[in-house]
Amino acid sequence: MTNNNYNKSVTDDSLLILQFNANGLKNHALDLETVLNSKRIDIALISETHFTKYSHLHIPGYTLIKSNHPDNTAHGGAAIFIKSNIEFYSLPRFSQSFLQSCAINLKINNTSLSIAAVYLPPKHNIKNTQFADYFNSFNNYFIIGGDFNAKHQSWGCRVNNPRGVTLYNYINTKRFKVLAPPDPTYWPSSTRKNPDILDIFVSNLPNTLFHSTKNLLDLNSDHSSILLTLNTSPSIKISNKLFNKFTDHAKFHELVNTKIKLNTKLKSPNDIDLAVHNLTNIIQTAAWSATNTMPAPPSASPLPEYIRNKIVEKRRARALYQRTRLPSHKHNYNKLANSLKKLLTEFKSSILQNHLMKLTPSDGSLWRETKQLLRYKSPNLPIKKSDGSLATSDIEKAEL
């Protein structure tokens, strides 16, 4: 479903949310990384990751949040990839056999918005109370995207199924909205089964926030992905550190040497306090002047033309197969998808090899890279207050 009031093109002020049922994410890691970079995706909501507690997937420039199936075997699961420069905090995970979900909270237009990835396996009979327990864990405004395995004609499905009726009745009571794409998202391999819409967004958004949804054919799975565009932008992280990797240290040293005075009188406590104050100001001013506070966002290595052409060729082959569903067209699409995956693997390996060849202990690059690889930390969840709400600000945490 597309909001008719939304007629703006995608700009830097748009929030782009991708939703994708991967049916095993590690098989599609390179494709996902390519799409995240080429489409400038801010947040990716992934269903059926098939992750366990030992699984981790690193995509440069993005932070991973995940919720696995409670039996810790490789099926089900949900995950979120969010751009590392977006300010957010993680919400408690929901990990039950009938529903796996992870969520984050961020600020848009000074308003708190929760965004969640969810996967609901088809075999469970989910009741209204179970939907209520899940949706009640979110405050006010939210977007929940994933494979609900719920069909209802109100959001474009061919038929209704029992779970779709239950979900429809619940969200109708709560006046939530379903944001669904115009075309099917599930493409069964059997020609005896019909394509349908299984991947949707359930939302409760401010009326001033316009949105648009569309299908994407860039990712390989038995599901096609969805792109949700919102006419807003999230808060960006602001670092409180005096120095960062963009600091020009030579310029910093030059500025300090220019401003500092070594013939300072230090004969009384007041003289010492004044000298410390002046030295602090000199260091701070020099650091701020030598540091680029608005660096260009990190960009992935541009794909060579032969890979871009292969992506276009594969996208056209998938569109043709989805129109005709002929075995010959499916064979051609699978052949192109495998060929593209091989090309992406070789391209990424060559970039990594070139990068590693340039690392040396003499300039510190080898140790910086090692530190970066070992720096992964699990995201901390907010502390709960006595009333059950979450302490997210520094003041709230200090008062606990």
Side-chain angles (χ1 to χ4, degrees):
M1 297 176 180
T2 303
N3 190 316
N4 294 327
N5 293 323
Y6 185 74
N7 55 10
K8 297 181 180 180
S9 61
V10 175
T11 68
D12 288 339
D13 292 328
S14 301
L15 178 66
L16 302 184
I17 302 176
L18 175 77
Q19 183 195 137
F20 175 50
N21 182 314
N23 195 15
L25 183 55
K26 288 204 170 181
N27 295 329
H28 310 293
L30 287 177
D31 289 331
L32 177 62
E33 182 176 347
T34 302
V35 170
L36 292 183
N37 291 314
S38 64
K39 301 291 185 183
R40 195 187 66 77
I41 302 298
D42 296 300
I43 301 170
L45 309 179
I46 312 297
S47 301
E48 280 203 270
T49 57
H50 295 182
F51 278 179
T52 69
K53 65 180 180 180
Y54 305 107
S55 305
H56 183 72
L57 178 62
H58 174 66
I59 295 181
Y62 288 84
T63 301
L64 169 64
I65 313 294
K66 61 177 182 173
S67 177
N68 305 328
H69 194 279
D71 66 8
N72 196 41
T73 58
H75 67 111
I80 297 175
F81 285 94
I82 178 169
K83 272 187 176 175
S84 301
N85 65 342
I86 295 178
E87 188 175 0
F88 75 96
Y89 62 85
S90 300
L91 295 173
R93 294 166 179 77
F94 202 100
S95 181
Q96 302 288 338
S97 59
F98 67 90
L99 189 154
Q100 297 96 54
S101 175
C102 53
I104 57 175
N105 190 280
L106 47 80
K107 291 278 188 180
I108 56 166
N109 302 335
N110 296 318
T111 301
S112 181
L113 174 68
S114 298
I115 299 179
V118 67
Y119 176 65
L120 291 82
K123 66 179 182 180
H124 298 278
N125 179 22
I126 301 180
K127 299 178 181 178
N128 189 75
T129 53
Q130 292 172 307
F131 277 128
D133 289 341
Y134 175 65
F135 282 99
N136 287 340
S137 65
F138 298 98
N139 294 325
N140 207 2
Y141 298 124
F142 62 80
I143 298 172
I144 303 170
D147 182 358
F148 284 80
N149 277 298
K151 298 181 183 181
H152 200 277
Q153 291 175 330
S154 66
W155 54 77
C157 297
R158 294 178 59 259
V159 295
N160 300 341
N161 67 4
R163 183 183 296 179
V165 173
T166 304
L167 179 62
Y168 172 79
N169 290 336
Y170 177 78
I171 63 176
N172 239 18
T173 303
K174 295 292 184 178
R175 297 186 178 180
F176 299 154
K177 291 183 179 178
V178 171
L179 312 179
D183 298 319
T185 63
Y186 173 58
W187 300 88
S189 55
S190 173
T191 55
R192 290 178 294 178
K193 297 180 180 179
N194 292 310
D196 217 335
I197 296 176
L198 294 182
D199 307 272
I200 57 175
F201 296 94
V202 178
S203 68
N204 185 32
L205 295 172
N207 292 328
T208 55
L209 197 61
F210 302 125
H211 54 78
S212 171
T213 56
K214 69 175 184 178
N215 298 79
L216 287 182
L217 303 180
D218 299 71
L219 291 165
N220 303 321
S221 173
D222 53 351
H223 290 245
S224 56
S225 53
I226 311 169
L227 181 63
L228 171 63
T229 305
L230 302 175
N231 70 326
T232 186
S233 55
S235 300
I236 303 301
K237 289 180 182 176
I238 300 175
S239 175
N240 295 321
K241 294 181 179 179
L242 200 57
F243 302 97
N244 60 36
K245 62 182 179 180
F246 301 104
T247 300
D248 185 339
H249 292 279
K251 182 179 180 181
F252 168 74
H253 292 154
E254 181 184 349
L255 290 170
V256 171
N257 289 333
T258 303
K259 297 290 184 180
I260 199 167
K261 296 179 180 179
L262 299 179
N263 57 342
T264 303
K265 183 174 66 171
L266 299 173
K267 292 186 177 181
S268 69
N270 288 337
D271 291 341
I272 295 174
D273 288 342
L274 180 61
V276 169
H277 176 73
N278 290 337
L279 179 61
T280 302
N281 284 340
I282 289 171
I283 292 173
Q284 288 179 336
T285 304
W288 292 332
S289 300
T291 301
N292 182 7
T293 56
M294 294 294 289
S299 58
S301 300
L303 294 174
E305 186 177 359
Y306 69 91
I307 291 184
R308 295 200 303 271
N309 291 338
K310 186 69 72 172
I311 291 173
V312 173
E313 193 177 354
K314 187 204 76 170
R315 190 185 302 131
R316 289 172 178 168
R318 176 160 188 168
L320 178 62
Y321 164 63
Q322 289 182 178
R323 284 199 307 270
T324 65
R325 305 199 71 198
L326 293 175
S328 58
H329 291 160
K330 181 182 180 182
H331 174 76
N332 185 46
Y333 162 67
N334 288 337
K335 183 179 178 180
L336 287 169
N338 291 331
S339 173
L340 176 61
K341 184 178 293 186
K342 183 178 179 181
L343 290 176
L344 288 172
T345 301
E346 292 172 351
F347 176 66
K348 188 170 183 179
S349 296
S350 66
I351 291 177
L352 179 60
Q353 186 174 6
N354 291 336
H355 175 64
L356 294 177
M357 291 290 289
K358 295 176 183 177
L359 299 179
T360 62
S362 58
D363 63 358
S365 60
L366 178 61
W367 314 122
R368 284 195 298 271
E369 186 68 20
T370 304
K371 183 179 178 181
Q372 180 70 23
L373 290 172
L374 298 176
R375 202 170 66 176
Y376 171 74
K377 293 182 180 178
S378 300
N380 295 324
L381 295 176
I383 304 169
K384 278 193 175 183
K385 296 190 285 188
S386 56
D387 60 359
S389 60
L390 300 176
T392 57
S393 67
D394 292 336
I395 295 175
E396 289 175 329
K397 292 174 184 177
E399 291 177 347
L400 289 177

